[in-house]
Amino acid sequence: MVKIKDVADAAGVSTATVSRVLANKPHVRQEVKAHVMKVVQELNYRPNRVARSLRSRKSAIIGLIVSDIENPFFQQVSRAVEDAAHEQGYSVMLCNNDEDSDKEQRYLHLIRDENLAGVILSPTRQTADNFSDTSELNIPMVVIDRRVSNAEVDNILIDNVQAAHTLATHLIEHGYRRIGAIFGMGSTTGRERREGFVRALKDHDLQPSADLVKYANPREEDGFNTAIKLLQLSEPPDAILTSNSRLAAGVLRALRESQKAIPEEIALASFDDTTWAKLVVPARTVIEQPTYEIGRTAAELLIKRIKDPKRSNREVILKSKLIVRQSCGCPQSSGDL
């Protein structure tokens, strides 16, 4: 590996001069700058990022830890984080915790040990429920998608209870009574969306049934297997609601393999407006989350936190939208919640 001393020796200048040139600092003659940069290119010298950040106690890299990068929700959030960070001179290191708190903690310690500028975190259930240990790492941090307890931290959320209540109410008001529901297991988001669903049933004098309301790992295969079990009940549901798009994909596959006509025999509605939600026939009724806005807001808040660690914490609740399509047998429409 070419070192800064190698550049200095080849250019016939001091290492301090090379450092000033690379940092674009003043008081270096233009001809010296040009000569040093020529040597840098000839030797293919790359500054040591870790050493540089340790010396300056600053880094231009932020971490982003998500629970499942295959989930379209996090793909869109990641895109927005990268866009916003790039605009302000930061790069992004993406990590995937797979809802594994041990893996998540390894990434958080790596981010601290590598002296990254800060982190945007979608925490596992264990971390969200016991956040004080994580906050003690003293990393500038913004939490997205899931509410944390016992900590003062910037948080970007939607109102999951209200959004699920709206989606369930839409189905109830269009005549569906035996509504099956599948919620992501192991997250505050799944719990809050179940709460909103149950509240909507009770508001319409309907009793939630343990046979119809299920938790599952937020994966397509788990959505498929859970839906098959619902369809095999002696009294199967007349509609199914899911709390994310991957579960919805599994449910859709189960309905097709079971030759259930949508919406004539059973309705389908879910969270997350993915590309395929508009393309399938019939198109899927959804709660659209402001994914790009979540990512951009998180990056902007984190960079503000990095620049001003003592600023007051903020909880930002962004609006979601009910988009009505044909999968629930209703005329197409949309509206903010």
Side-chain angles (χ1 to χ4, degrees):
M1 182 183 295
V2 178
K3 299 179 180 179
I4 193 169
K5 188 177 185 303
D6 300 325
V7 176
D9 290 345
V13 298
S14 68
T15 55
T17 297
V18 177
S19 293
R20 285 197 294 273
V21 170
L22 294 173
N24 198 29
K25 291 185 176 179
H27 311 305
V28 181
R29 296 195 311 275
Q30 194 60 42
E31 60 269 24
V32 174
K33 282 185 179 181
H35 178 56
V36 169
M37 290 308 299
K38 182 181 178 185
V39 173
V40 166
Q41 292 174 6
E42 289 173 349
L43 297 181
N44 195 27
Y45 171 72
R46 299 286 297 171
N48 187 315
R49 174 185 57 78
V50 175
R52 182 172 58 190
S53 66
L54 287 172
R55 284 195 301 272
S56 66
R57 294 199 173 275
K58 293 181 180 178
S59 171
I61 301 174
I62 61 175
L64 171 61
I65 304 178
V66 301
S67 59
D68 181 8
I69 195 55
E70 290 187 337
N71 187 329
F73 170 85
F74 288 114
Q75 292 173 7
Q76 294 169 30
V77 167
S78 300
R79 171 82 252 187
V81 168
E82 200 278 334
D83 285 348
H86 178 74
E87 289 171 9
Q88 299 198 47
Y90 287 81
S91 300
V92 179
M93 182 178 80
L94 177 62
C95 308
N96 191 64
N97 67 28
D98 287 321
E99 297 289 359
D100 181 334
S101 59
D102 291 335
K103 186 176 181 182
E104 178 181 63
Q105 289 302 311
R106 287 200 299 273
Y107 279 134
L108 284 167
H109 283 88
L110 174 67
I111 287 167
R112 181 198 60 187
D113 296 344
E114 290 289 317
N115 203 38
L116 267 62
V119 61
I120 296 169
L121 172 66
S122 173
T124 60
R125 177 174 179 173
Q126 294 93 323
T127 297
D129 289 344
N130 301 280
F131 201 75
S132 57
D133 292 341
T134 298
S135 61
E136 288 172 3
L137 292 172
N138 292 320
I139 306 169
M141 185 178 298
V142 173
V143 174
I144 60 172
D145 188 45
R146 297 169 180 179
R147 181 172 278 106
V148 298
S149 58
N150 305 318
E152 293 293 324
V153 65
D154 293 320
N155 219 159
I156 314 295
L157 303 162
I158 71 162
D159 189 337
N160 287 301
V161 175
Q162 181 58 45
H165 186 281
T166 297
L167 189 57
T169 297
H170 172 77
L171 292 172
I172 295 167
E173 289 181 346
H174 285 81
Y176 299 101
R177 290 295 179 268
R178 282 189 58 79
I179 303 173
I182 308 174
F183 300 98
M185 181 185 296
S187 72
T188 57
T189 302
R191 296 202 304 265
E192 289 174 355
R193 292 176 183 176
R194 182 186 184 280
E195 179 185 340
F197 171 78
V198 170
R199 189 179 298 176
L201 293 182
K202 291 181 177 178
D203 286 348
H204 291 82
D205 297 321
L206 298 173
Q207 289 302 314
S209 167
D211 289 340
L212 295 176
V213 183
K214 301 294 182 182
Y215 280 113
N217 289 317
R219 302 283 193 275
E220 180 179 334
E221 195 63 26
D222 291 273
F224 172 82
N225 292 331
T226 306
I228 290 294
K229 291 177 182 177
L230 290 175
L231 295 173
Q232 291 173 344
L233 292 171
S234 57
E235 292 184 66
D238 56 11
I240 296 180
L241 177 155
T242 75
S243 66
N244 73 30
S245 63
R246 298 195 71 194
L247 288 170
V251 172
L252 181 61
R253 181 158 64 91
L255 294 177
R256 288 184 171 174
E257 290 191 12
S258 302
Q259 298 184 330
K260 294 291 185 181
I262 306 170
E264 292 80 7
E265 294 180 84
I266 188 168
L268 174 61
S270 78
F271 277 72
D272 300 329
D273 191 26
T274 59
T275 299
W276 68 264
K278 309 176 189 71
L279 299 178
V280 295
V281 179
R284 183 164 50 94
T285 292
V286 297
I287 290 291
E288 179 188 51
Q289 299 189 76
T291 48
Y292 195 88
E293 190 179 357
I294 289 170
R296 174 168 284 278
T297 303
E300 291 171 349
L301 272 184
L302 179 61
I303 292 169
K304 288 179 181 178
R305 170 71 55 200
I306 292 165
K307 293 178 178 178
D308 181 11
K310 294 184 179 180
R311 65 188 298 272
S312 58
N313 295 303
R314 290 187 61 193
E315 180 177 88
V316 180
I317 308 293
L318 298 175
K319 287 185 176 181
S320 55
K321 179 186 290 185
L322 172 64
I323 300 179
V324 177
R325 299 193 180 105
Q326 294 80 17
S327 68
C328 57
C330 308
Q332 185 163 320
S333 66
S334 66
D336 290 336
L337 302 190

